[in-house]
Amino acid sequence: MGCKGPKSLIGVRNENTFLDLTVQQIEHLNKTYDTDVPLVLMNSFNTDEDTKKILQKYNHCRVKIYTFNQSRYPRINKESLLPVAKNVSYSGENTEAWYPPGHGDIYASFYNSGLLDTFIGEGKEYIFVSNIDNLGATVDLYILNHLMNPPNGKPCEFVMEVTNKTRADVKGGTLTQYEGKLRLVEIAQVPKAHVDEFKSVSKFKIFNTNNLWISLAAVKRLQEQNAIDMEIIVNPKTLDGGLNVIQLETAVGAAIKSFENSLGINVPRSRFLPVKTTSDLLLVMSNLYSLNAGSLTMSEKREFPTVPLVKLGSSFTKVQDYLRRFESIPDMLELDHLTVSGDVTFGKNVSLKGTVIIIANHGDRIDIPPGAVLENKIVSGNLRILDH
């Protein structure tokens, strides 16, 4: 989305950032149950400094916040298969030569930071892991109760929350069973010939939300035995100067097969509200959701529990451009589908209902006037409004 600093600092609701909302959720939890659940942030070397500066504003909150850093790996030249970095510094000409190796690095980095031992020493048993941009990932006491009182009496070391796949989630990883163990299969691991099959909503009905509940003692045991086995994902990238490189990454959920008595739990869609694009950001900023103690819930005024399908074109890709194009976020309570392409801006108090398609042809500009109500409309190049 064109972020220069940590994504967690993007304003989502009423000037609240992802980080603000997460702190509010945990503060509410701690106050409600008179407890002391800490928040732990895994930063990369790119975001650590900015995050630490911003954390000072939470000094008076009822949440202890800890940070630790991900590893730093050298990018590899695709042609020579040699590291791009000339030395171990990551400033100057080396800035682009290093990368954080995916969230699968959490096990080693968390262990190496000493925080794992600290929490075990305090009597803590489980860690709940989620992406900070998933605004649906709150601490769910039903799942925690299931971990503490497993129905079959066997302690569960790893729970992955999965949810039903829709056509918007065709790229999400899925769970399979192989040799008696659960395994996560990501789209990057699927041979090209089978990608369409993998994306099928009827064949693979669930996908990984990346909300994970993991036993701290099990992480310590497996880390010390060097027994956490995760498939390596090869991620090709092109640097600003045009150099083709590869990054070797791992996904945190891929470790599921290394833990004992792992489970997948099918959770409601409301626990998966990721913000990966400005199209997602528009949804969570809109009146589709109401905000309570840092948690977003679908507005009771929405007649359908499903989220509208929103596709914003390339003029909206970067957060700064996106914000400039909306004088205020439209009313979307009755929206089913929105497609916007080209140079389009929205005035204040616009209402979108049903299926709305707005396409500005190359060189044209469409300004949706303040107070406009578009219901099942196609608005094309010269701002003719047609019935859909």
Side-chain angles (χ1 to χ4, degrees):
M1 295 199 288
C3 304
K4 288 286 177 274
K7 188 177 177 184
S8 57
L9 307 184
I10 293 177
V12 185
R13 294 289 291 233
N14 320 333
E15 304 300 309
N16 283 314
T17 65
F18 290 112
L19 191 52
D20 291 335
L21 296 179
T22 305
V23 171
Q24 286 169 28
Q25 287 169 17
I26 301 175
E27 191 169 36
H28 177 69
L29 184 77
N30 286 340
K31 281 179 178 167
T32 307
Y33 297 98
D34 191 24
T35 184
D36 189 18
V37 174
L39 170 64
V40 184
L41 300 171
M42 178 167 80
N43 294 332
S44 74
F45 58 91
N46 293 317
T47 60
D48 186 50
E49 213 171 292
D50 288 343
T51 308
K52 280 185 173 156
K53 276 183 205 158
I54 212 81
L55 288 182
Q56 292 167 9
K57 76 185 244 194
Y58 305 113
N59 285 344
H60 304 295
C61 291
R62 187 173 167 166
V63 180
K64 282 186 191 148
I65 303 179
Y66 300 85
T67 64
F68 67 95
N69 262 14
Q70 256 178 300
S71 305
R72 178 162 62 93
Y73 281 22
R75 286 184 165 133
I76 297 164
N77 183 314
K78 197 174 179 183
E79 302 305 317
S80 67
L81 298 183
L82 292 171
V84 177
K86 301 285 181 280
N87 54 52
V88 294
S89 88
Y90 53 95
S91 54
E93 62 176 35
N94 259 351
T95 310
E96 280 200 318
W98 300 89
Y99 71 99
H103 41 53
D105 187 53
I106 187 171
Y107 305 104
S109 294
F110 188 43
Y111 176 82
N112 293 336
S113 73
L115 284 173
L116 178 64
D117 282 335
T118 300
F119 293 139
I120 290 173
E122 290 174 359
K124 292 182 168 55
E125 293 176 43
Y126 282 92
I127 186 168
F128 173 54
V129 179
S130 67
N131 297 348
I132 198 147
D133 63 17
N134 178 5
L135 294 171
T138 54
V139 172
D140 186 299
L141 298 181
Y142 291 106
I143 296 175
L144 190 57
N145 182 50
H146 192 88
L147 289 170
M148 304 321 298
N149 306 291
N152 60 2
K154 284 187 196 165
C156 179
E157 293 186 344
F158 193 108
V159 162
M160 176 182 287
E161 294 183 32
V162 296
T163 194
N164 291 352
K165 196 152 119 177
T166 69
R167 299 207 182 277
D169 315 302
V170 291
K171 291 183 178 176
T174 196
L175 278 181
T176 59
Q177 201 156 23
Y178 180 71
E179 294 182 344
K181 291 273 190 181
L182 285 178
R183 292 188 177 220
L184 177 67
V185 180
E186 299 274 11
I187 193 164
Q189 297 163 289
V190 178
K192 275 190 180 148
H194 294 282
V195 164
D196 286 343
E197 197 181 352
F198 177 83
K199 287 180 173 180
S200 154
V201 177
S202 53
K203 180 147 192 174
F204 295 103
K205 294 183 167 59
I206 51 126
F207 72 99
N208 168 28
T209 62
N210 232 26
N211 300 346
L212 309 168
W213 302 75
I214 308 169
S215 156
L216 293 174
V219 173
K220 182 175 168 74
R221 181 191 78 237
L222 292 168
Q223 200 54 44
E224 288 176 348
Q225 294 169 355
N226 197 21
I228 293 185
D229 178 21
M230 292 174 284
E231 291 80 13
I232 289 170
I233 296 165
V234 179
N235 187 1
K237 293 247 177 195
T238 303
L239 302 187
D240 285 347
L243 181 68
N244 290 323
V245 297
I246 50 178
Q247 299 181 177
L248 304 179
E249 301 178 6
T250 54
V252 58
I256 190 167
K257 64 178 185 286
S258 304
F259 289 83
E260 294 301 315
N261 200 25
S262 299
L263 282 179
I265 292 184
N266 196 330
V267 297
R269 180 70 187 206
S270 56
R271 291 190 57 74
F272 185 67
L273 272 183
V275 181
K276 302 292 181 199
T277 63
T278 50
S279 302
D280 299 331
L281 192 57
L282 180 63
L283 290 170
V284 297
M285 289 177 88
S286 77
N287 61 345
L288 286 164
Y289 294 99
S290 41
L291 182 62
N292 181 22
S295 298
L296 289 185
T297 47
M298 180 75 76
S299 168
E300 289 174 0
K301 293 177 185 167
R302 172 122 176 124
E303 286 183 22
F304 316 102
T306 53
V307 178
L309 192 58
V310 172
K311 294 179 180 173
L312 299 179
S314 55
S315 306
F316 291 79
T317 303
K318 295 190 172 173
V319 175
Q320 307 90 296
D321 298 340
Y322 156 87
L323 291 171
R324 205 168 37 78
R325 291 180 176 277
F326 290 98
E327 277 193 55
S328 70
I329 302 298
D331 173 341
M332 292 164 50
L333 276 175
E334 295 176 45
L335 180 68
D336 300 322
H337 179 117
L338 173 67
T339 295
V340 184
S341 175
D343 187 359
V344 178
T345 63
F346 291 80
K348 280 193 171 167
N349 305 321
V350 170
S351 220
L352 304 172
K353 302 178 180 188
T355 296
V356 178
I357 299 168
I358 305 169
I359 297 171
N361 298 331
H362 185 67
D364 286 338
R365 173 173 168 165
I366 293 178
D367 296 316
I368 303 297
V373 177
L374 299 180
E375 182 168 4
N376 295 328
K377 292 283 188 260
I378 298 173
V379 183
S380 65
N382 54 8
L383 227 169
R384 283 181 306 142
I385 295 187
L386 312 167
D387 274 316
H388 174 64

